[in-house]
């Protein structure tokens, strides 16, 4: 293996860690009701689909999910956990999926399992979502799924 191949492999490992950190920081924004800040993790032309929202293309459209629907929450009664990332990097783009758990404490303790299907793009040295789809896959009560 030559030095060029080693540099390429090292860059891919660094990119993978940056993507993981970015995705986790995004989830932290959701937990802390920082929905406007969460928008910073998306490219301007990103596509976002959350459950039954349909595909929202472009910042003007997908920001409505965060500054409208999600921003209606004024108190925190849930938490998010993302796990088992499976990410493939190809230069300045990447794609993959994560398992997502949402835990609720009000009105009762409940949980939802879901999946993030994602695409990422590196812009000006920073990884961002270029596509994010969240779908519920299981829940503690049938009416929470799908």
């Amino acid at each position: 293996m030559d030095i060029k191949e080693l540099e390429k492999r090292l860059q891919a490992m660094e990119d993978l860690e940056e993507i993981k950190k970015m995705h986790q920081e995004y989830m932290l924004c959701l937990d802390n009701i920082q929905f406007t800040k969460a928008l910073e993790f998306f490219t301007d032309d990103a596509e976002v689909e959350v459950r039954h929202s349909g595909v929202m293309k472009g910042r003007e459209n997908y920001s409505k999910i965060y500054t409208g629907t999600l921003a209606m929450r004024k108190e925190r009664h849930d938490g998010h956990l993302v796990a088992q990332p499976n990410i493939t990097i190809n230069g300045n783009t990447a794609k993959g999926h994560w398992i997502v758990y949402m835990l609720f404490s009000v009105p009762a303790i409940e949980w939802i399992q879901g999946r993030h299907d994602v695409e990422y793009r590196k812009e000006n040295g920073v990884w961002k979502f270029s596509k994010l789809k969240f779908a519920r896959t299981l829940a503690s009560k049938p009416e929470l799924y799908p």
Side-chain angles (χ1 to χ4, degrees), residues 16-17 19-24 27 81-87 95-101 114-118 120 129 132-135:
L16 178 61
E17 289 306 310
I19 289 169
K20 288 178 186 178
K21 283 197 256 182
M22 182 276 294
H23 201 123
Q24 293 163 342
M27 297 305 287
L81 171 69
V82 288
Q84 298 179 335
N86 185 336
I87 301 166
K95 62 186 340 183
H97 58 267
W98 298 67
I99 291 178
V100 179
Y101 285 96
R115 179 179 163 120
H116 273 167
D117 290 306
V118 291
Y120 306 95
F129 295 109
L132 173 83
K133 178 181 180 180
F134 172 73

Side-chain angles (χ1 to χ4, degrees), residues 76-95:
R76 183 175 173 205
H77 299 290
D78 66 354
H80 299 80
L81 171 69
V82 288
Q84 298 179 335
N86 185 336
I87 301 166
T88 303
I89 297 173
N90 185 10
N92 288 330
T93 63
K95 62 186 340 183

Side-chain angles (χ1 to χ4, degrees), residues 47-63:
E47 294 181 12
V48 178
E49 182 178 1
V50 177
R51 209 165 167 224
H52 304 299
S53 68
V55 177
M56 305 276 198
K57 295 181 181 182
R59 186 172 300 274
E60 183 178 334
N61 292 314
Y62 67 72
S63 65

Side-chain angles (χ1 to χ4, degrees), residues 103-114:
L103 308 167
F104 300 92
S105 61
V106 173
I109 297 174
E110 298 170 348
W111 58 269
I112 295 170
Q113 177 183 304

